[in-house]
């Protein structure tokens, strides 16, 4: 009987810190960047619609164009690659692409828990139709793209790289400068490369402050607000 190999991945999560200073001489190949983005794209998403688009900045001129939009944060230039994660406001249009092969293969048990693809597609379209006047499309775009962004940073750490997320940028200016279609909204930027300076570890709340067991109750002793 073969022994089960236990691997502790906790250092991957605990040692990931946001880096602001990158080694500008360190370069990643296109293939290495694609491997990172492939892993990022395996993140979970609602209905598996994969609500993300990645804009990768590796060219010096493109990075310089991005710099003022990112409020002069030099990491967008010095990092090997800066990835803009965009959220898809029309992810419902991905349904046919995602599920077409499943339908043609007759794999009815792969319809995200639905008994037929017709029921699945109808629910997706109804959700997006109703949401034209609500925040649903935007919420879903940001929520799911953020999952991919976090997975991208963990993928970078797993490969011995460093990363730094940024939300301090002018989203409207980004859309205009890089001709982003109306279908997408900028969610955040992630700089990836090799740190020139060690990241400063920051404190985190103890779990006792962030967890609430089984719901909030008035005057409950386990409330993080007490």
């Amino acid at each position: 009987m073969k022994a089960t190999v236990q691997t502790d991945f906790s250092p991957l999560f605990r040692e990931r810190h946001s880096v602001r200073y990158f080694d500008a001489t360190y370069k990643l190949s296109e293939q290495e960047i694609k491997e990172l983005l492939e892993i990022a794209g395996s993140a979970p998403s609602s209905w598996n619609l994969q609500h993300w688009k990645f804009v990768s900045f590796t060219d010096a001129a493109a990075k310089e164009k991005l710099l003022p939009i990112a409020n002069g944060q030099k990491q967008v230039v010095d990092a090997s690659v800066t990835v803009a994660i965009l959220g898809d406001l029309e992810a419902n249009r991905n349904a046919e692409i995602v599920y077409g092969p499943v339908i043609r293969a007759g794999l009815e048990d792969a319809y995200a828990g639905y008994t037929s693809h017709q029921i699945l597609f109808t629910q997706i379209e109804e959700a997006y139709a109703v949401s034209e006047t609500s925040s649903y499309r935007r919420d879903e775009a940001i929520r799911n793209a953020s999952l991919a962004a976090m997975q991208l940073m963990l993928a970078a750490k797993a490969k011995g790289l460093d990363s730094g997320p940024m939300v301090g940028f002018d989203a409207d200016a980004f859309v205009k400068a890089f001709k982003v279609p109306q279908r997408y909204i900028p969610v955040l930027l992630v700089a990836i490369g090799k740190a020139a300076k060690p990241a400063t570890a920051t404190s985190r709340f103890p779990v006792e402050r962030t967890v609430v067991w089984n719901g909030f109750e008035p005057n409950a002793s386990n409330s993080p607000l007490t």
Side-chain angles (χ1 to χ4, degrees), residues 208-213 215-226:
E208 290 78 11
R209 182 179 175 85
T210 59
V211 65
V212 174
W213 300 103
F216 287 89
E217 294 292 340
N219 302 318
S221 61
N222 67 351
S223 170
L225 304 179
T226 59

Side-chain angles (χ1 to χ4, degrees), residues 45-53 86-88 91-92 94 128 137 140-142 144-145:
S45 60
S46 299
W47 286 308
N48 193 29
L49 295 178
Q50 302 166 54
H51 313 54
W52 44 72
K53 186 71 73 175
L86 311 183
D88 189 352
N92 55 307
N94 295 339
Y128 276 81
R137 287 173 181 254
E140 281 290 276
I142 294 172
N144 291 283

Side-chain angles (χ1 to χ4, degrees), residues 167-179:
V167 294
F169 68 98
D170 188 331
D172 292 335
F174 183 95
V175 168
K176 184 176 180 180
F178 299 105
K179 299 179 174 57

Side-chain angles (χ1 to χ4, degrees), residues 33-219:
I33 295 169
K34 287 170 69 175
E35 287 175 3
L36 289 171
L37 295 176
E38 182 181 13
I39 295 171
S42 68
S45 60
S46 299
W47 286 308
N48 193 29
L49 295 178
Q50 302 166 54
H51 313 54
W52 44 72
K53 186 71 73 175
F54 305 120
V55 183
S56 297
F57 293 91
T58 55
D59 180 73
K63 289 179 175 180
E64 288 293 340
K65 186 177 179 180
L66 177 61
L67 184 59
I69 295 171
N71 298 320
Q73 297 179 85
K74 201 166 183 296
Q75 57 264 48
V76 303
V77 173
D78 291 341
S80 302
V81 59
T82 295
V83 181
I85 291 89
L86 311 183
D88 189 352
L89 297 168
E90 301 175 16
N92 55 307
R93 292 169 60 181
N94 295 339
E96 175 58 39
I97 300 171
V98 170
Y99 290 101
V102 177
I103 294 167
R104 289 188 287 276
L107 302 175
E108 294 189 3
D109 60 343
Y111 298 146
Y114 293 84
T115 55
S116 72
H117 71 272
Q118 291 94 344
I119 295 174
L120 169 61
F121 283 15
T122 296
Q123 188 171 67
I124 291 172
E125 290 305 320
E126 287 177 348
Y128 276 81
V130 170
S131 66
E132 288 182 359
T133 57
S134 73
S135 63
Y136 178 84
R137 287 173 181 254
R138 181 179 178 83
D139 290 348
E140 281 290 276
I142 294 172
R143 183 164 32 233
N144 291 283
S146 295
L147 291 172
M150 188 69 249
Q151 190 137 311
L152 174 61
M153 289 184 279
L154 291 174
K157 188 63 181 176
K159 290 181 176 289
L161 300 168
D162 301 291
S163 64
M166 292 166 278
V167 294
F169 68 98
D170 188 331
D172 292 335
F174 183 95
V175 168
K176 184 176 180 180
F178 299 105
K179 299 179 174 57
V180 178
Q182 289 186 337
R183 175 173 175 172
Y184 303 104
I185 56 170
V187 177
L188 73 161
L189 306 175
V190 177
I192 299 172
K194 283 286 188 180
K197 295 181 182 180
T200 301
T202 53
S203 63
R204 291 294 187 270
F205 291 134
V207 68
E208 290 78 11
R209 182 179 175 85
T210 59
V211 65
V212 174
W213 300 103
N214 306 312
F216 287 89
E217 294 292 340
N219 302 318

